[in-house]
Amino acid sequence: MKISSRFSVATHILALLHLEKKTLCTSEWIANSVNTNPVVIRRILGQLKKAEIVQVRSGVGGSFLMKELAEITLLDVYHAVEVVDEGELFQVHEGTSDECLVGANICSVLSPIVCRAQSTMEQVLAEITMEEVVTDLENKLGGCTE
Amino acid sequence: MKISSRFSVATHILALLHLEKKTLCTSEWIANSVNTNPVVIRRILGQLKKAEIVQVRSGVGGSFLMKELAEITLLDVYHAVEVVDEGELFQVHEGTSDECLVGANICSVLSPIVCRAQSTMEQVLAEITMEEVVTDLENKLGGCTE
DNA sequence: TTAGAATATAACTATAAATATTACAAGTAA
DNA sequence: TTACTTGTAATATTTATAGTTATATTCTAA
């Protein structure tokens, strides 16, 4: 089980939009950097637009950040692309026997535990902004924007 | 995207094995409480056996805990049933363009971040033992083992 | 030692999600 | 109008999960 790469692709896109302001960032151009199909990029851009993180210009093309990097947390991105539903990182089996102490109550005992595990993980993402991601990228050597 | 219910089913099984020591816990009997197929239970029991958490008696049938509840953390169970691979909760897209600062480095920037998020989540599971789960179950009203 | 019951495991099916792709309508500016 | 783009539906492929059937093996008690 893995969380969809939509999340990492979305951060990739946002970093590009910031670093390539001089370029017309069309879905095809972004797709080339990400190495996927332009439609995949357009779908993710659609979700980022819905979350009011980017603006997409139809007709002419190109996408643009609507917020400062420091105002976009990785949790915002994660929520925007809907890779994991609220309180649903863990699937807890249902339909258990209610004639049994364990079957009747296991769900209500486990649910708060796994929700806490999920929230704790998401809190890590909430504490990192796109600004840090881009700074990390810039600290790497080489690349096309040297 | 959800983490497989193998994890919650495994905790269900372990709680049953502890609370139903007087019963011969066959895969069919357990499957009835969980509300699934006996083969599904046997597959999970096989993983718990491999992790040396339970002992399964072939021929006669029945399974038994090999450790005290307090010695079994939820992280042990989670690892036993292999619901998420080490450092692979998040899928980070690969094959990106290495002619671009972002494409060339996004993976190495994001990987440590998502690994940290995963580890933090798993740490929550590491701090809860099956003893707490069973205590919570016993604190619920009703059931077949009153 | 054999019959009965259980486990171990392979094989198959069904379902769902992710990803890639094609196709086409609609928007926009030169 | 033309050329290019976005938005989105439809389809195909892959992968994981979960359920099921079937069969070989294991063990005990009669």
Side-chain angles (χ1 to χ4, degrees):
Chain A
M1 191 288 317
K2 287 180 180 178
I3 290 174
S4 166
S5 63
R6 281 200 303 281
F7 171 68
S8 64
V9 172
T11 64
H12 185 145
I13 293 171
L14 296 176
L16 275 182
L17 296 186
H18 176 83
L19 291 168
E20 301 287 344
K21 293 210 180 75
K22 297 175 194 160
T23 310
L24 177 64
C25 296
T26 65
S27 61
E28 185 167 359
W29 184 84
I30 297 170
N32 187 57
S33 171
V34 172
N35 186 37
T36 185
N37 192 286
V39 177
V40 172
I41 300 299
R42 291 204 287 269
R43 278 199 284 248
I44 294 171
L45 278 171
Q47 294 181 294
L48 293 171
K49 181 172 71 171
K50 200 169 156 193
E52 303 184 328
I53 295 172
V54 305
Q55 172 195 345
V56 182
R57 189 167 54 176
S58 65
V60 187
S63 294
F64 311 90
L65 292 176
M66 288 183 74
K67 296 183 179 181
E68 295 300 314
L69 288 184
E71 291 168 353
I72 306 170
T73 70
L74 291 188
L75 184 62
D76 294 332
V77 181
Y78 164 97
H79 280 147
V81 296
E82 297 174 320
V83 284
V84 177
D85 290 337
E86 180 79 21
E88 306 256 301
L89 175 59
F90 286 81
Q91 175 161 17
V92 176
H93 62 297
E94 293 177 351
T96 50
S97 167
D98 55 9
E99 292 168 16
C100 161
L101 173 65
V102 179
N105 299 294
I106 190 72
C107 179
S108 68
V109 167
L110 284 183
S111 292
I113 294 171
V114 297
C115 281
R116 193 157 71 245
Q118 176 176 352
S119 299
T120 304
M121 182 274 280
E122 292 173 353
Q123 193 54 38
V124 173
L125 300 182
E127 285 163 7
I128 300 171
T129 69
M130 279 304 301
E131 186 169 45
E132 293 167 65
V133 171
V134 169
T135 300
D136 283 358
L137 283 170
E138 288 170 329
N139 287 337
K140 300 278 176 181
L141 295 176
C144 60
T145 57
E146 62 271 292
Chain B
M1 192 292 315
K2 287 180 180 178
I3 290 174
S4 167
S5 63
R6 283 200 301 280
F7 171 68
S8 65
V9 171
T11 63
H12 185 145
I13 293 172
L14 296 176
L16 275 183
L17 296 186
H18 176 83
L19 291 168
E20 301 287 345
K21 292 211 180 76
K22 296 176 195 159
T23 311
L24 176 64
C25 296
T26 65
S27 60
E28 185 168 358
W29 185 85
I30 297 170
N32 187 60
S33 172
V34 172
N35 186 35
T36 185
N37 191 287
V39 176
V40 172
I41 300 300
R42 290 204 288 270
R43 280 199 282 246
I44 294 172
L45 278 172
Q47 294 181 294
L48 293 171
K49 181 172 71 170
K50 201 168 154 191
E52 302 184 330
I53 295 172
V54 304
Q55 172 195 344
V56 183
R57 188 167 56 176
S58 62
V60 186
S63 294
F64 311 90
L65 293 176
M66 286 182 75
K67 296 182 178 182
E68 295 300 314
L69 288 183
E71 291 169 353
I72 306 170
T73 70
L74 291 188
L75 184 62
D76 294 331
V77 181
Y78 165 98
H79 280 149
V81 296
E82 297 174 323
V83 284
V84 178
D85 290 337
E86 179 80 21
E88 308 257 301
L89 174 59
F90 286 82
Q91 175 160 16
V92 176
H93 63 296
E94 293 176 351
T96 51
S97 167
D98 55 8
E99 292 166 16
C100 162
L101 174 63
V102 180
N105 299 295
I106 190 72
C107 179
S108 68
V109 167
L110 283 183
S111 292
I113 294 171
V114 297
C115 281
R116 193 157 71 246
Q118 175 176 354
S119 299
T120 304
M121 181 274 280
E122 292 173 352
Q123 194 54 38
V124 173
L125 301 183
E127 285 163 6
I128 300 171
T129 69
M130 280 302 303
E131 185 169 45
E132 293 167 63
V133 172
V134 169
T135 300
D136 284 358
L137 284 170
E138 288 171 331
N139 287 338
K140 302 275 175 183
L141 295 176
C144 60
T145 56
E146 62 274 287

